Amino acid sequence: SYELSQPSSVSVSPGQTASITCSGDKLGDKYVCWYQQKPGQSPVLVIYEDTKRPSGIPERFSGSNSGNTATLTISGTQAMDEADYYCQAWDSSTGVFGTGTTVTVL
Amino acid sequence: EVQLVESGGGLVQPGGSRTLSCAASGFTFSSYWMHWVRQAPGKGLVWVSRINSDGSSTPYADSVKGRFTISRDNAKNTLYLQMSSLRAEDTAVYYCVRDSKVARPGLDYWGQGTLVTVSS
């Protein structure tokens, strides 16, 4: 079955850039979405179709996808961005989530 | 306002069955594909199943295939997940999720989830 791997944690200072990677076989051939989940809350879609932001998502969130790796970048990270982040793709009709990354804003 | 409200969670014995429901409102339910996604306590998100608009296509994760059945009643604006032969590893919060039409292929609205605990 298809698998997506993410680093378990990323630390970033306020105002700096956080980059979260998502790795999978030929992932660049698929569309990747990213979700943010804060403690005790349901996930929120922050990036779809590799690079696009849904309405209401701040511009500091951006995405890319090429080869075997997709990346979520948070520019000018704020304390409110501290959360778990999950990448997600579709393998045929089956959904696959990444292992998740905890972003800590120090 | 889009709302997805899950119900039916609770304590179930291993080998038992449970049916989850998700009441949808604020959008034309019959036009949207819907999903179930679960999250074990302290763990990551896991996609469970998807159903298309008319219920004719229902793929499942390997971990639940043959044990879980997704269905919908478009007249009642309700999504279901019938779970049988439940195992301890099925313990999780189960989210009802809408497939986006605008932000495809993303999942744009999530319910608050309902907790299913499988334990004797």
Side-chain angles (χ1 to χ4, degrees):
Chain A
S1 61
Y2 196 76
E3 296 182 349
L4 295 174
S5 298
Q6 300 178 231
S8 58
S9 63
V10 167
S11 297
V12 60
S13 299
Q16 298 305 302
T17 297
S19 294
I20 306 164
T21 57
C22 173
S23 300
D25 185 49
K26 298 181 181 178
L27 185 57
D29 293 342
K30 307 177 187 296
Y31 279 135
V32 173
C33 299
W34 290 90
Y35 300 86
Q36 175 194 68
Q37 186 181 31
K38 296 181 178 179
Q41 298 184 18
S42 300
V44 173
L45 177 67
V46 294
I47 292 289
Y48 68 98
E49 210 173 289
D50 296 339
T51 63
K52 299 179 180 179
R53 283 178 291 104
S55 174
I57 300 302
E59 291 184 9
R60 63 180 180 273
F61 289 89
S62 63
S64 64
N65 183 21
S66 180
N68 295 323
T69 303
T71 302
L72 174 69
T73 301
I74 311 173
S75 304
T77 306
Q78 301 182 9
M80 68 172 67
D81 301 328
E82 192 162 276
D84 292 330
Y85 291 83
Y86 297 90
C87 59
Q88 182 256 319
W90 298 99
D91 182 43
S92 296
S93 297
T94 303
V96 181
F97 283 95
T99 50
T101 299
T102 299
V103 172
T104 302
V105 182
L106 299 172
Chain B
E1 179 193 6
V2 172
Q3 285 198 315
L4 298 169
V5 180
E6 303 94 338
S7 60
L11 179 62
V12 187
Q13 291 196 336
S17 300
R18 197 83 171 185
T19 296
L20 306 182
S21 300
C22 170
S25 60
F27 65 103
T28 306
F29 178 73
S30 60
S31 298
Y32 284 80
W33 293 13
M34 298 294 296
H35 304 254
W36 287 100
V37 175
R38 70 183 183 183
Q39 186 171 35
K43 302 297 184 180
L45 301 173
V46 177
W47 178 85
V48 173
S49 184
R50 183 267 288 158
I51 188 167
N52 65 347
S53 302
D54 64 6
S56 62
S57 174
T58 56
Y60 296 89
D62 288 344
S63 58
V64 307
K65 201 174 297 182
R67 300 188 301 122
F68 288 14
T69 301
I70 189 172
S71 62
R72 65 191 299 161
D73 186 332
N74 286 339
K76 294 183 177 180
N77 292 339
T78 303
L79 177 71
Y80 302 99
L81 185 67
Q82 296 174 269
M83 306 182 295
S84 63
S85 302
L86 284 162
R87 309 164 180 166
E89 53 265 37
D90 295 318
T91 294
V93 172
Y94 285 76
Y95 294 102
C96 167
V97 191
R98 192 182 83 166
D99 194 290
S100 180
K101 286 186 181 291
V102 176
R104 303 204 74 181
L107 306 175
D108 62 358
Y109 281 93
W110 297 61
Q112 285 304 301
T114 187
L115 175 63
V116 174
T117 303
V118 183
S119 175
S120 55

